Amino acid sequence: MASETEEALDPRVVRTRRDVVRATGELLVEDGWDAVTHAAVARRAGYAKATVYAHWPTRLDLVEAAVELICDEADHPAATGDLRADLRAALADFADDLTHGHLDRLLAGVVEHANEGDVVARLRTRLYETGTAGMRAVLAAHVARRDVEPALALLTGSVLVLVTFEGRRVDAAVLDDLVERVLASTTPAGSADG
Amino acid sequence: MASETEEALDPRVVRTRRDVVRATGELLVEDGWDAVTHAAVARRAGYAKATVYAHWPTRLDLVEAAVELICDEADHPAATGDLRADLRAALADFADDLTHGHLDRLLAGVVEHANEGDVVARLRTRLYETGTAGMRAVLAAHVARRDVEPALALLTGSVLVLVTFEGRRVDAAVLDDLVERVLASTTPAGSADG
DNA sequence: GACACTTTCAGACGGCTAGTTCAATACTGG
DNA sequence: CCAGTATTGAACTAGCCGTCTGAAAGTGTC
């Protein structure tokens, strides 16, 4: 028999999982957490409702699988080695995910449903770390270790707030200003006091 | 007849409005946006479901009234005049609202339901500005005008991210570090280039 | 191709909840 | 006391969620 972790031998199961999880992700991103219903997902994916229930008994199972897929598929601009250029690119990418990728709604969903168990808390961490992985990598490569966390919080937080709550369009000038302000309080990596 | 804006003469109406809006606010804060149902609100407030429907035809009407009340009742620590102390106090207050006041869930709710009309967008702005009013006031009094907005975004954003997405407890040391980092990139108010 | 096995399907069902309606009751100001 | 208004409790419709079923279709094997 196949191993427990790779038991999806039947091509029907593979197809179903792929199509349904993809449809769930689209629904989650476009219409939000509450739109993820077995019936809605089945309709969108082109499968019967009972089939969806058979694979993912609860709504949370569906959301979990979709978030996993979204995070796995996420890709970020490659680093060039130039600290400021890479930071601006990563920040712009994050801002774009928030607005056009509807990452803001995804994050809002996990925060609002955070009281529904540890699974949701794990999804929150997964989404946040995936969305900020680009920035974290750039910072880790260029600034002192003790500056990485605060700088990351300052950059991601400010962009999140500007885009999501102030409805501001964060153009190159805004991003540049934020980057300069944050870098002013950091020490280069490898420095004596880093 | 009474004026249109102050027509609530009947004490029954006054009582009903007060009790129901308060119950809605508690429900909204404790259990989230989706828990705000006419039936649930009526049960909690001790009124009949039909009465709640008579005053607030839609769920959004209920949420709107509750958010208005919450924002009106919000109070913030008084300023002492010491920039750093006031900033730290305002930030700590904001962090406390996020965790114990469940402001994070309120904000998540309006973000997730932002596609349900302009009313929700107004609520988002109202909540965000109320929660950050303390910091904005302190900054406006001490740093150059052009530094207020970016500094506000950096401070509120970083605290929001640390508390809500990283699950960090922001103690005095963390707040102090953030304040120093942000202030390093600002110019005092009234300065020549401010 | 024949076969046993698994997956998917389509629909029906009971249960729960949202929102509406309405006659009866309680309250208010005069 | 009385006319007008607010509140009530309950009934009712409509719609959706989750479950279950037998039938149909697909899969791997001999």
Side-chain angles (χ1 to χ4, degrees), chain A residues 38 52 60 104:
Chain A
H38 287 84
V52 181
L60 191 51
D104 54 352

Side-chain angles (χ1 to χ4, degrees), chain B residues 117-193:
Chain B
D118 297 338
V119 178
V120 182
R122 285 214 338 271
L123 293 182
R124 180 184 58 188
T125 303
R126 183 101 166 82
L127 273 174
Y128 175 70
E129 291 192 347
T130 301
T132 61
M135 264 170 293
R136 181 178 282 109
V138 174
L139 286 172
H142 291 88
V143 307
R145 180 185 299 268
R146 64 177 170 82
D147 286 333
V148 172
E149 270 203 55
L152 184 69
L154 286 166
L155 288 172
T156 61
S158 56
V159 168
L160 178 71
V161 157
L162 287 174
V163 168
T164 305
F165 295 116
E166 301 194 13
R168 289 267 305 271
R169 198 177 65 83
V170 285
D171 52 18
V174 173
L175 291 181
D176 195 54
D177 181 55
L178 290 176
V179 167
E180 289 308 323
R181 286 176 188 272
V182 171
L183 288 184
S185 64
T186 62
T187 309
S191 173
D193 54 356

Side-chain angles (χ1 to χ4, degrees), chain B residues 13-128:
Chain B
V13 175
V14 177
R15 270 198 304 268
T16 303
R17 281 213 227 272
R18 169 172 47 81
D19 296 342
V20 171
V21 172
R22 181 164 302 276
T24 304
E26 293 170 1
L27 220 45
L28 186 64
V29 164
E30 293 174 15
D31 299 335
W33 185 294
D34 292 337
V36 175
T37 301
H38 288 84
V41 167
R43 203 178 322 122
R44 177 154 195 149
Y47 288 83
K49 195 172 55 164
T51 305
V52 181
Y53 273 105
H55 286 272
W56 303 270
T58 73
R59 261 182 246 191
L60 191 50
D61 295 325
L62 280 170
V63 173
E64 195 178 0
V67 169
E68 213 66 35
L69 174 67
I70 290 172
C71 289
D72 285 345
E73 284 185 344
D75 58 337
H76 302 284
T80 65
D82 178 7
L83 168 59
R84 283 168 170 78
D86 285 349
L87 262 190
R88 280 194 296 265
L91 267 186
D93 191 56
F94 179 61
D96 191 69
D97 284 347
L98 283 176
T99 53
H100 304 96
H102 301 284
L103 177 59
D104 54 352
R105 187 178 297 163
L106 279 181
L107 291 173
V110 293
V111 170
E112 207 185 2
H113 295 81
N115 58 338
E116 292 177 15
D118 297 338
V119 178
V120 182
R122 285 214 338 271
L123 293 182
R124 180 184 58 188
T125 303
R126 183 101 166 82
L127 273 174
Y128 175 70

Side-chain angles (χ1 to χ4, degrees), chain A residues 6 33 61 73 87 130 138 148 192 194:
Chain A
E6 283 291 345
W33 185 294
D61 294 325
E73 283 185 344
L87 262 190
T130 300
V138 175
V148 173

